[in-house]
Amino acid sequence: MGKEKADSGTTFHIAEGRASYYADRFHGKRTASGEKFSLLEYTAAHRSLPFGTTVRVTNLDNGRNVTVRINDRGPHLRNRIIDVSPAAAKELGLLGKGTTHVRIEAMN
């Protein structure tokens, strides 16, 4: 699924696949990390990256990117690799589309 790449002494885990975003109904609910989910924060769900990992998500359809922090587990659909908050989805140009093809790079 992913590959490792050295960049200025830092190792990034890189993967490409489909991204989606959280529905508004999850606002205020607890995430797997115990935090309350906020529509306004730049957070995301990933199946295996540790909570607190900073991830750069790049929309491969339009080149836009955003940095998010992993604070939840998911996505729960097989064909997706990350779920981002609506704030992050807006930055990526994902709102209204539902899903898009992305590259994710774990930065720590």
Side-chain angles (χ1 to χ4, degrees), residues 41-108:
E41 292 184 26
Y42 291 86
T43 59
H46 189 272
R47 288 183 192 92
S48 61
L49 289 172
F51 295 138
T53 302
T54 301
V55 177
R56 181 172 45 230
V57 181
T58 302
N59 181 336
L60 296 176
D61 293 336
N62 63 17
R64 294 168 71 176
N65 69 72
V66 67
T67 301
V68 297
R69 182 178 45 84
I70 302 298
N71 74 340
D72 203 6
R73 290 292 171 235
H76 300 291
L77 296 174
R78 277 191 183 164
N79 65 340
R80 301 193 185 148
I81 63 168
I82 196 166
D83 279 338
V84 299
S85 67
K90 183 177 180 181
E91 291 293 319
L92 290 168
L94 175 56
L95 286 181
K97 289 182 144 190
T99 67
T100 195
H101 191 218
V102 296
R103 175 184 311 115
I104 62 172
E105 299 170 272
M107 300 166 58
N108 61 352

